[in-house]
Amino acid sequence: MTTSRSTHAAAEVARMNTFFPLMPTLGNRWARRRPWEGMRVAVNAHLTTLTAALMRELTLGGGEWSVCASSPATTDLAVVELLREEGVSVYTGGDLTNRHLSTLDDNPELIADVGFELLGTLLARRPEQAQGLRAAVEITRTGVTRLRAASLPFAVVNLNDGLLKSNLENRHGVGNGLWTSVTAITDMQIAGRRVLVVGYGPVGQGLAAYARAQGAAVSVVDRDPIRRLSAHYDGFITPSLGEGLARAEIAVTATGVERAIALEHLEVARDGLVLVNAGHGGQEIDVARLREVAEKGDQLGPLCTRYKLPGGPWLTVLGGGHPLNIVTNSGSPEPVLMQFALLGMTLEWLAQAALKPGEVLVPVSIEAEVAQLALNALGQS
Ligand SMILES: NC(=O)c1ccc[n+]([C@@H]2O[C@H](COP(=O)([O-])OP(=O)(O)OC[C@H]3O[C@@H](n4cnc5c(N)ncnc54)[C@H](O)[C@@H]3O)[C@@H](O)[C@H]2O)c1
């Protein structure tokens, strides 16, 4: 049965496809080729309309599809309903491990993961299922770090270190989208604000560049001297974290590391600081400790909460410290859709390829094919 929520999500997907018809092109290709006919495939993902746009086309390529919600904070219930209507098994409830185990009950032969979470549960709780897994795909930096620390009995294709992801999605997708969310939630204009970017990988570089393009005064903190030097030559001030937080009006994390901004850093922050996370997961800013010790908390609006540290500053957290552009599904979806196209094309390749266990970098030939399809979708062929 079609619900009004799922109709709304379907309309959003249709609108995205109108202005950037990359996904429908792939859907036509997969409907012709049916690469996953007779296979079971699981996807662990943020359940946003962007994921819906991908899943709708993937299912045209045959096979049985299961989707696990990687976080309740980024789960759009309209998307859950839409995917269920289209025959996808969607797992959203319970805790993360239970969702993973339910997804693994479907015995996937291919897995697409974020954060190496579903694969981590498979290795820890269902190691016997590794035999039935042909291969997997990981799309995030955090996931690649985790997979490198694991002993892999199957091949995992690393999409994060491909050329498309860091050049387009991490830099332009997050850089553009996150500031749109900040303005929508707070009504703050970014121009003239003192912004601190913590972590100067591709995500941080995009955040810094887009904030500067809007007229913010941007500083950058990174614990890696090479990244800090790059930030310096890109024209950003590079203070220590303490100095940066003491001056910034908005601080955004993009490190992939838990407690990159910890409680002791927050105690010396500027009064009124707005805290935003763009990195994977919800722990880069220690919001849990902040909530525990705060003497007051005000809900200023949806996704906007202010806390008062005893004897210290007022601090505002957006989106509960979860990656804000994903929580709000904001910004330019095109780089994300390109990455999802790459994910789909990689799954198409993996349905045939026989790879040795271990990490495999996504082949440049697949990236080039996706780039050409994206150029076609942009009318730039
Ligand atoms: N929000 C999104 O839509 C989105 C999209 C892509 C990636 N991500 C996530 O964003 C994060 C960053 O991605 P990236 O590709 O830029 O990663 P990256 O690893 O290339 O860059 C992270 C940077 O943070 C620095 N860093 C680590 N710990 C630090 C600390 N405690 N203090 C200061 N600097 C520190 C590192 O030195 C590094 O330069 C990852 O968690 C990734 O999964 C989010």
Side-chain angles (χ1 to χ4, degrees):
M1 193 190 72
T2 305
T3 66
S4 66
R5 277 205 295 212
S6 63
T7 306
H8 186 76
E12 212 173 311
V13 170
R15 194 169 57 240
M16 261 188 278
N17 287 339
T18 301
F19 295 107
F20 185 57
L22 176 59
M23 283 296 153
T25 308
L26 285 168
N28 290 338
R29 168 191 173 109
W30 293 328
R32 279 195 313 276
R33 299 186 178 195
R34 305 282 291 177
W36 304 288
E37 197 74 83
M39 292 185 92
R40 293 176 304 277
V41 192
V43 177
N44 178 39
H46 297 287
L47 295 192
T48 66
T49 42
L50 294 166
T51 303
L54 168 69
M55 292 308 307
R56 297 187 96 190
E57 309 301 340
L58 286 173
T59 53
L60 297 174
E64 286 172 39
W65 292 82
S66 313
V67 174
C68 176
S70 71
S71 164
T74 57
T75 298
D76 180 339
L77 294 177
V79 166
V80 174
E81 287 174 15
L82 179 64
L83 293 180
R84 285 191 175 140
E85 281 164 23
E86 298 191 350
V88 176
S89 305
V90 186
Y91 300 100
T92 55
D95 67 16
L96 189 61
T97 307
N98 282 334
R99 289 203 293 283
H100 291 164
L101 293 175
S102 302
T103 310
L104 294 172
D105 283 343
D106 291 344
N107 289 310
E109 294 151 90
L110 292 174
I111 287 179
D113 206 0
V114 286
F116 200 68
E117 288 168 351
L118 183 56
L119 292 167
T121 302
L122 185 150
L123 290 177
R125 302 283 297 272
R126 298 275 178 83
E128 69 284 0
Q129 277 191 244
Q131 278 194 338
L133 190 69
R134 288 182 69 100
V137 185
E138 170 56 52
I139 63 174
T140 65
R141 156 69 42 225
T142 305
V144 169
T145 305
R146 290 180 184 159
L147 77 85
R148 287 178 182 164
S151 162
L152 294 174
F154 40 73
V156 184
V157 181
N158 166 359
L159 296 195
N160 184 76
D161 293 312
L163 301 170
L164 277 176
K165 166 107 176 169
S166 55
N167 285 335
L168 300 176
E169 191 205 321
N170 290 25
R171 185 184 299 259
H172 295 285
V174 186
N176 187 28
L178 186 119
W179 296 119
T180 312
S181 308
V182 171
T183 299
I185 292 171
T186 62
D187 292 329
M188 286 168 91
Q189 195 144 333
I190 304 304
R193 299 285 183 171
R194 286 193 299 277
V195 166
L196 180 71
V197 175
V198 182
Y200 200 61
V203 172
Q205 289 161 29
L207 291 168
Y210 277 82
R212 177 157 68 186
Q214 290 190 41
V218 183
S219 307
V220 171
V221 170
D222 197 301
R223 67 181 179 187
D224 173 351
I226 299 176
R227 288 264 164 91
R228 210 158 58 239
L229 186 64
S230 306
H232 169 85
Y233 280 111
D234 288 342
F236 298 111
I237 297 165
T238 56
S240 67
L241 181 59
E243 287 164 358
L245 289 172
R247 283 186 50 76
E249 291 164 273
I250 307 172
V252 53
T253 46
T255 65
V257 168
E258 291 185 9
R259 288 180 295 285
I261 299 185
L263 188 63
E264 69 259 30
H265 304 128
L266 293 175
E267 281 162 351
V268 295
R270 179 180 183 278
D271 192 41
L273 175 68
V274 176
L275 292 156
V276 192
N277 173 42
H280 180 78
Q283 284 94 36
E284 294 208 12
I285 303 164
D286 199 349
V287 178
R289 284 288 289 140
L290 174 59
R291 277 195 197 115
E292 259 170 47
V293 303
E295 63 186 22
K296 283 188 241 168
D298 291 342
Q299 190 71 38
L300 297 180
L303 306 175
C304 183
T305 313
R306 208 159 69 119
Y307 300 93
K308 172 79 172 70
L309 281 178
W314 277 100
L315 301 163
T316 300
V317 177
L318 304 189
H322 295 280
L324 192 68
N325 60 311
I326 301 178
V327 173
T328 56
N329 193 21
S330 70
S332 65
E334 291 176 14
V336 181
L337 290 174
M338 272 179 238
Q339 199 58 20
F340 281 178
L342 184 63
L343 173 63
M345 292 280 280
T346 304
L347 286 173
E348 180 184 334
W349 173 56
L350 290 179
Q352 298 295 328
L355 302 177
K356 290 200 194 102
E359 179 187 342
V360 182
L361 188 61
V362 59
V364 175
S365 56
I366 299 182
E367 293 215 273
E369 204 173 350
V370 170
Q372 186 57 57
L373 290 170
L375 284 167
N376 297 349
L378 292 164
Q380 304 290 320
S381 47

